[in-house]
Amino acid sequence: MISLYIQINIFLAASWVLFQLLPKRRLPYRASKKIAQALVVISIVAVPVTAVLPDLSFPKLTSNVEVMSGQDIDTDASVLAPMQRAAKQVALVVEATPKPSGPFASLWFWIFVFGMFVMIVRRLTSWYRLFKLLRSTLTLHKIGRTSVVVSDLIVVPFSALNLRRAYVVLPSSLVPYRTEFKIALRHEIEHHRRRDTLWAVMLEWLICGFYLNPAIYLWRKTILQLQELACDEALIGRMRISKQAYGSCLLKVAEMALDRRFICAGTTCMIPTSESNSHSFLRRRINMLAQHERSTARRASAFALGTLSSFSIVAAAYVAQAAVRSDGSPNPGKPIFDSRIQPLAEEALKKGMALHQASAGFAIVADPVRGTVIAAVSLNDGFDKKLKGDWALSYPLQPGSVLKPLIVASALQKKVTKNGEMHDCEKGQYRFGKNIYNESTSFDKLSTADTVVQSSNICTIKISQKLGAKGLENALREFGIGKDGSAAGFPSATVGFVPMAGTIPDENYIALVSHGISNRTDLYVTPLEMVEAYGAIANGGKLMKAIGADAKQPPETIRDVLSPEVSAQVREALRRAVEEGTGKPIKGSSISLAGKTSTVVLNGNQRITGFIGYAPADKPKLIVYVALFDPKGTGKYGSTTAAPVFREIIEKTVPIYNP
């Protein structure tokens, strides 16, 4: 949310500059006012709207990735309840809330909130004064919902709104001047007809929200001026009021305003309070009357200018959102794989796809110590015609549960939890923020290590709370996901996208990202990034740069993500995940295995089942990531579909691989 707020402020300033640069001299003031109002609305709306639009710059290899059901399922554990589950499902009391993180822990945030509170109080005080004044006026006439009233307490005519009625308030001192009184009345009624008073109220509230941004004050001044000029233009044009009479009225009101001013929030008046101290605007209005020409054939120019400027703001907003995501195009070049291992991996994947009637699948084999990508198989049997070439290296994947070991590892590394610390699993139902999260297995308590072994969604949320939204974001980036990560520069690969903390409420960010869910977060990883991230766990905490099997350069360490001690703890948890957790269906291999299952639901029924792990578990030699798309056989989970393929690849390749 903070990122979006900052972008909106930038676009408010940019749109004001754009409006000043537009050639408006030959346009009616009414058209200029509408363009200005449109730019304000678009500047505020465009950023959040484009933030939730699909990222067209990201390689959309399948439309299914964009419509996630919000579920992440593993064998023997975890179903994330739909986000709209009824609030009446009350969860048990959770453990003590961890220290707040992110903007809510910042002194500057509270200073900003206090400033906004002060601005709101000032506006409410002004409105109270306004409504108190309205109660003391004398009603002359009612026109529909509009009341024409006079008051002894004011000297400048103005228009105002409350929740039920619209008001035209005229000073009693103007009543003796019959001509000026009628012109002022028509002027203020015209403001209501053009909804200028509603805009004045909206601008007041916008100032409360963006009070630190000078652009919002400039916009208010610009729009209030254009409102007055547009009314002047309408009255001397459409209503045939003489320029002399109108000018005389303006001067009379200005003369009266010299003695006493009543400042009313959210009102429009013949002499705007923000310009009362300067004669320049009054001079501009008088000059407009003298030089006025009726314009009837300039609507096309106004429409063209308005459309062009609005499109510019929307396009800029979309580009701004795309800039913080991914550049989209796969890296140039064709990767070279190990000629012995590539066919073995392809054979095992084809067999698994046929057995489980999968529509597509991938298998990536890498050396965790060197970062070498030894094999990458990409098969597509009708899942999506866009899946071509080595798409396994660039597929924008919703990761699901494979993120959990990375999150736990980061929490251990940051020392916000310990391997044996116990977490209350809430017996399968946990209220966090405004949502309730369920999982199929009602665990009582699980340790941090057992959270990985049993793939507990609720305990993962609780561990992620300890990291905080910003800590969770940093954890994924540290493991090489996103721009400048482990997959950057590898032939035919792209990088994933880690959303910034603050783009959505922290509780939603923590819950959704910790479960590897793309919907509402735009979180994506590529399979190659996940392989290198798990390689860091298997390699004593060293994150390696992905290099090809034919690479002549030496292995490149990007950074030390984990200490050797933390790496060993997570490796043990992944070993236990195969022996006693969600990966039990493949235990008993002749080679000790370690890894993590995942099952992601697409569109309510389609699934991507996966397994990522390494072997031998005590001294990792190869790491393999297998995923099957839309399996239709009896197997529905990563443990029963992708895991057996993983086991077959490991058993065939580990004995013959020599780095």
Side-chain angles (χ1 to χ4, degrees):
M1 295 300 293
I2 295 176
S3 173
L4 293 180
Y5 179 79
I6 293 173
Q7 290 183 58
I8 291 172
N9 277 277
I10 293 172
F11 275 92
L12 280 171
S15 62
W16 185 83
V17 173
L18 174 63
F19 180 75
Q20 301 306 311
L21 296 176
L22 291 178
K24 305 182 292 293
R25 288 194 174 188
R26 296 184 59 84
L27 292 181
Y29 287 111
R30 179 184 180 184
S32 296
K33 182 188 72 172
K34 287 185 175 296
I35 293 174
Q37 291 170 342
L39 287 177
V40 170
V41 172
I42 291 171
S43 297
I44 295 172
V45 172
V47 173
V49 168
T50 53
V52 300
L53 288 177
D55 182 5
L56 298 180
S57 68
F58 202 91
K60 287 297 171 282
L61 299 174
T62 171
S63 59
N64 293 329
V65 170
E66 288 305 315
V67 190
M68 301 298 176
S69 71
Q71 293 185 350
D72 170 45
I73 305 170
D74 280 325
T75 311
D76 301 329
S78 67
V79 175
L80 174 62
M83 307 303 295
Q84 296 81 13
R85 190 174 296 275
K88 64 183 180 181
Q89 294 179 311
V90 180
L92 298 177
V93 177
V94 301
E95 63 186 14
T97 304
K99 293 182 179 180
S101 61
F104 292 95
S106 170
L107 175 63
W108 291 109
F109 174 81
W110 291 111
I111 292 175
F112 172 79
V113 170
F114 177 75
M116 185 180 294
F117 173 76
V118 170
M119 296 296 290
I120 292 173
V121 170
R122 290 181 59 184
R123 263 67 189 169
L124 292 176
T125 301
S126 296
W127 267 301
Y128 172 76
R129 292 170 57 198
L130 170 63
F131 296 146
K132 185 177 179 180
L133 180 146
L134 291 175
R135 287 197 297 269
S136 67
T137 57
L138 174 65
T139 302
L140 295 182
H141 187 58
K142 291 186 178 181
I143 308 171
R145 293 181 61 250
T146 303
S147 297
V148 179
V149 300
V150 294
S151 173
D152 295 329
L153 301 177
I154 64 167
V155 293
V156 176
F158 69 89
S159 302
L161 289 175
N162 68 11
L163 297 177
R164 294 177 296 177
R165 298 199 63 80
Y167 292 89
V168 171
V169 187
L170 301 172
S172 56
S173 57
L174 196 61
V175 173
Y177 305 96
R178 182 181 180 87
T179 302
E180 286 80 1
F181 185 87
K182 287 184 176 180
I183 292 174
L185 175 60
R186 289 184 177 183
H187 181 97
E188 299 305 329
I189 289 177
E190 188 70 14
H191 275 313
H192 283 304
R193 182 179 290 115
R194 295 173 181 270
R195 301 184 185 278
D196 290 343
T197 313
L198 178 61
W199 262 93
V201 173
M202 290 172 54
L203 288 169
E204 290 295 323
W205 285 114
L206 287 177
I207 285 175
C208 293
F210 301 96
Y211 70 95
L212 293 177
N213 188 351
I216 196 64
Y217 299 96
L218 294 172
W219 268 125
R220 179 177 65 172
K221 177 180 178 180
T222 299
I223 291 176
L224 290 180
Q225 287 184 348
L226 289 173
Q227 287 178 351
E228 298 305 319
L229 291 166
C231 276
D232 297 345
E233 190 176 58
L235 265 63
I236 65 174
R238 179 168 52 83
M239 295 187 180
R240 307 286 183 164
I241 297 176
S242 70
K243 301 174 184 178
Q244 292 77 11
Y246 202 89
S248 175
C249 178
L250 287 177
L251 290 173
K252 175 62 68 177
V253 172
E255 180 183 1
M256 297 167 62
L258 292 175
D259 298 329
R260 179 159 47 103
R261 299 183 182 91
F262 181 80
I263 300 176
C264 298
T267 61
T268 57
C269 55
M270 288 194 72
I271 306 296
T273 55
S274 58
E275 283 79 39
S276 301
N277 296 326
S278 174
H279 300 292
S280 60
F281 182 56
L282 180 61
R283 186 181 303 113
R284 180 183 176 189
R285 293 175 72 178
I286 298 297
N287 290 337
M288 186 276 292
L289 298 178
Q291 301 170 6
H292 174 72
E293 298 177 5
R294 292 190 63 191
S295 176
T296 58
R298 296 174 187 162
R299 293 182 180 178
S301 299
F303 180 79
L305 275 177
T307 302
L308 180 62
S309 54
S310 299
F311 178 79
S312 300
I313 294 296
V314 173
Y318 191 87
V319 170
Q321 288 299 312
V324 298
R325 297 182 184 182
S326 163
D327 59 8
S329 302
N331 298 323
K334 176 72 175 175
I336 303 299
F337 304 120
D338 190 304
S339 58
R340 301 167 302 163
I341 294 178
Q342 177 76 7
L344 295 176
E346 183 172 351
E347 179 185 0
L349 182 61
K350 284 182 177 179
K351 186 187 302 183
M353 286 178 57
L355 177 63
H356 299 287
Q357 304 172 40
S359 301
F362 66 74
I364 299 178
V365 184
D367 182 336
V369 177
R370 299 175 56 84
T372 306
V373 182
I374 301 168
V377 183
S378 307
L379 300 180
N380 178 24
D381 190 18
F383 184 76
D384 194 313
K385 62 181 180 181
K386 299 175 186 175
L387 299 179
K388 297 178 180 179
D390 295 307
W391 58 266
L393 301 173
S394 59
Y395 187 82
L397 182 70
Q398 177 177 232
S401 288
V402 295
L403 284 188
K404 292 175 182 174
L406 308 187
I407 295 168
V408 168
S410 183
L412 290 170
Q413 182 67 26
K414 303 298 182 186
K415 295 182 173 20
V416 297
T417 188
K418 295 182 179 180
N419 202 42
E421 181 181 357
M422 301 303 293
H423 307 278
D424 187 352
C425 301
E426 309 292 345
K427 293 183 167 47
Q429 188 178 83
Y430 179 40
R431 179 184 292 277
F432 181 45
K434 297 180 180 179
N435 301 306
I436 295 176
Y437 300 90
N438 289 354
E439 54 190 5
S440 57
T441 303
S442 299
F443 297 112
D444 183 19
K445 292 182 182 295
L446 288 176
S447 68
T448 298
D450 288 335
T451 297
V452 174
V453 175
Q454 302 297 340
S455 192
S456 169
N457 283 342
I458 289 175
C459 289
T460 302
I461 292 176
K462 292 195 171 186
I463 293 171
S464 298
Q465 284 180 259
K466 295 175 179 292
L467 280 171
K470 189 62 180 179
L472 189 56
E473 174 196 344
N474 291 337
L476 300 185
R477 296 188 190 280
E478 288 171 1
F479 271 103
I481 299 171
K483 186 178 180 181
D484 300 325
S486 58
F490 191 83
S492 297
T494 58
V495 297
F497 176 72
V498 179
M500 292 179 61
T503 53
I504 60 175
D506 280 4
E507 60 268 20
N508 291 344
Y509 187 98
I510 289 171
L512 296 174
V513 171
S514 67
H515 290 83
I517 293 177
S518 301
N519 191 29
R520 297 175 58 201
T521 65
D522 274 349
L523 168 69
Y524 296 106
V525 303
T526 59
L528 180 56
E529 289 176 323
M530 293 309 303
V531 166
E532 296 298 334
Y534 270 71
I537 295 174
N539 187 29
K542 296 183 181 296
L543 177 67
M544 307 302 294
K545 187 82 170 177
I547 58 176
D550 62 333
K552 297 180 181 179
Q553 73 267 30
E556 179 183 346
T557 301
I558 298 177
R559 69 180 68 90
D560 288 334
V561 182
L562 307 173
S563 67
E565 294 76 18
V566 170
S567 173
Q569 290 174 347
V570 180
R571 286 203 308 271
E572 173 61 15
L574 291 173
R575 184 196 67 79
R576 290 179 54 214
V578 172
E579 292 299 318
E580 56 190 88
T582 58
K584 283 189 296 185
I586 61 169
K587 74 174 183 177
S589 171
S590 57
I591 301 174
S592 59
L593 307 176
K596 182 72 185 71
T597 58
S598 70
T599 306
V600 176
V601 180
L602 308 178
N603 301 326
N605 53 5
Q606 291 182 323
R607 300 182 178 217
I608 298 179
T609 61
F611 190 93
I612 183 170
Y614 48 83
D618 55 342
K619 191 175 182 180
K621 188 176 180 181
L622 288 178
I623 183 167
V624 177
Y625 190 6
V626 175
L628 299 182
F629 289 58
D630 194 23
K632 304 177 186 64
T634 55
K636 296 182 179 180
Y637 305 104
S639 59
T640 55
T641 57
V645 179
F646 161 86
R647 173 176 169 170
E648 181 175 346
I649 293 174
I650 284 292
E651 290 177 342
K652 289 182 177 180
T653 57
V654 166
I656 67 172
Y657 176 68
N658 293 306

